[in-house]
Amino acid sequence: MLGYGGAAWFKTVAQEFRDELSKCKNVTKVLYLNANGSQQKYNSDFNSLVSQKVDVIVSFTHFGDASLPVMRNATKAGVTVVPFFAKIGGTPGKDYVDVVYQDPIANGLMWADFLAKTVKTGNVIFLGGPPGANTSQRFMDAFKEGVKKHPGLKLAEENYIVTNWNPVDAQKAIAALIAKHGKIDGIASDYGLTTNAAIKAFEQAGLPIPAQATLASNNELNCKYLEYKKTGKAWPYFSLDGTTTLIRAAARRAMAAHSGAPYTEPLGWSPYPYVDSTTKTDPRCDLSFPPDADLSGKLTNAALTELFK
């Protein structure tokens, strides 16, 4: 499996992958390679795995269509390739087996609907990852369409805000946007870590925290929300979660293709509403786990403890 980074979300995804494959006695070795945001390393890792004669590669679709040549070469070499997370171009059977993906349209529309319900009228922005991130662009496109349905919402920035999925960069970006626009009423984001950074930027500026709609929340963000809620000062909050479990579907698709077994599950998946302040659906908070831990997946407490020890 190829990963984007070593953050807790990706470590959890890797563990969900190992856990799913532990059900298959024919799997003898599982590798996790971290491209760390470098397309060059991602491609090199792909080629390295092919030269090692691995049977299956499940890869995060961070670089989108730019990675199709290495996927195609791996497929030609007889490797079962299943990219996961976001839709990409290419041809099933030629470039890869199938893409197992999150439905960006459903996510974007739900974020926009939540902000329309809670903000009603005001400026909204979308926080993405690094420049050119395939997943962030697809989420942004869907969010734009959702915003168009609600005349009271104004998209303050036409492009997604680059955060590199890094809390320091995200906080700096939000501080600059506060200075530029004066008032931001709602924020959508494709990663809970950047949502948390945005909240810190408003706290440091001494401003009320605007409505937040996000994906893949984390322990720190959810604990902070619950603390604010105790004081009656919680912001409107919506989060779609269970994202770490998508790798399990990708693993099942890959193993079915490799073994020749039938596969009847959908390729497109949607995360579930894990937090929704409008329905009083609260998240889990567990201070025994790291701040960036994602507790919404299928790993047991014992597995999470082992992962983060």
Side-chain angles (χ1 to χ4, degrees):
M1 174 190 157
L2 294 170
Y4 164 69
W9 188 87
F10 289 95
K11 291 178 181 177
T12 305
V13 167
Q15 191 57 37
E16 297 257 18
F17 186 61
R18 295 186 190 99
D19 186 62
E20 188 68 25
L21 292 177
S22 69
K23 303 170 186 177
C24 182
K25 295 179 181 179
N26 295 328
V27 176
T28 57
K29 189 175 184 180
V30 180
L31 301 172
Y32 173 57
L33 300 183
N34 172 15
N36 203 28
S38 167
Q39 184 181 337
Q40 183 177 356
K41 187 174 187 305
Y42 184 95
N43 293 346
S44 175
D45 284 346
F46 236 101
N47 294 331
S48 172
L49 290 173
V50 173
S51 67
Q52 293 176 55
K53 300 188 183 303
V54 301
D55 297 299
V56 173
I57 297 177
V58 176
S59 59
F60 187 73
T61 56
H62 175 66
F63 300 105
D65 291 1
S67 301
L68 287 173
V70 291
M71 293 180 185
R72 187 178 306 122
N73 289 339
T75 300
K76 283 182 180 178
V79 180
T80 299
V81 177
V82 175
F84 85 101
F85 199 76
K87 272 188 174 182
I88 57 174
T91 305
K94 178 182 177 182
D95 299 305
Y96 44 71
V97 171
D98 271 319
V99 180
V100 176
Y101 60 92
Q102 279 195 65
D103 184 349
I105 297 175
N107 292 1
L109 294 179
M110 282 190 280
W111 289 329
D113 287 348
F114 177 80
L115 294 181
K117 185 190 300 184
T118 53
V119 172
K120 293 184 174 59
T121 303
N123 289 330
V124 298
I125 59 171
F126 182 79
L127 307 180
N134 178 55
T135 53
S136 294
Q137 188 58 57
R138 288 181 181 273
F139 285 136
M140 178 64 183
D141 292 343
F143 182 62
K144 271 187 180 180
E145 290 304 309
V147 169
K148 287 179 184 177
K149 292 168 46 185
H150 303 289
L153 297 182
K154 178 185 176 183
L155 197 59
E157 297 285 336
E158 282 299 308
N159 299 311
Y160 71 79
I161 308 304
V162 170
T163 69
N164 297 311
W165 292 321
N166 177 295
V168 175
D169 293 344
Q171 203 164 328
K172 288 179 180 177
I174 292 298
L177 288 169
I178 291 171
K180 178 180 178 181
H181 295 289
K183 191 169 187 290
I184 297 171
D185 303 284
I187 297 176
S189 168
D190 60 4
Y191 193 13
L193 183 144
T194 53
T195 297
N196 197 38
I199 289 168
K200 289 179 180 179
F202 280 89
E203 288 175 328
Q204 289 191 359
L207 296 171
I209 298 169
Q212 304 288 328
T214 192
L215 180 75
S217 66
N218 61 45
N219 200 28
E220 181 181 9
L221 171 60
N222 291 333
C223 290
K224 176 176 286 190
Y225 170 75
L226 293 176
E227 283 299 313
Y228 267 73
K229 187 176 179 180
K230 286 180 184 177
T231 66
K233 297 180 180 178
W235 60 89
Y237 180 30
F238 179 74
S239 182
L240 296 168
D241 281 273
T243 58
T244 60
T245 65
L246 184 64
I247 189 69
R248 291 179 181 268
R252 293 192 295 271
R253 181 66 191 101
M255 294 309 297
H258 182 65
S259 65
Y263 185 80
T264 58
E265 295 182 46
L267 297 174
W269 295 72
S270 291
Y272 69 95
Y274 181 63
V275 190
D276 187 343
S277 59
T278 66
T279 61
K280 299 182 180 179
T281 303
D282 286 342
R284 178 184 171 193
C285 166
D286 190 329
L287 297 177
S288 68
F289 290 117
D292 58 350
D294 185 325
L295 307 181
S296 68
K298 292 186 176 181
L299 294 176
T300 64
N301 265 13
L304 287 168
T305 300
E306 179 66 20
L307 178 64
F308 294 123
K309 71 177 182 181

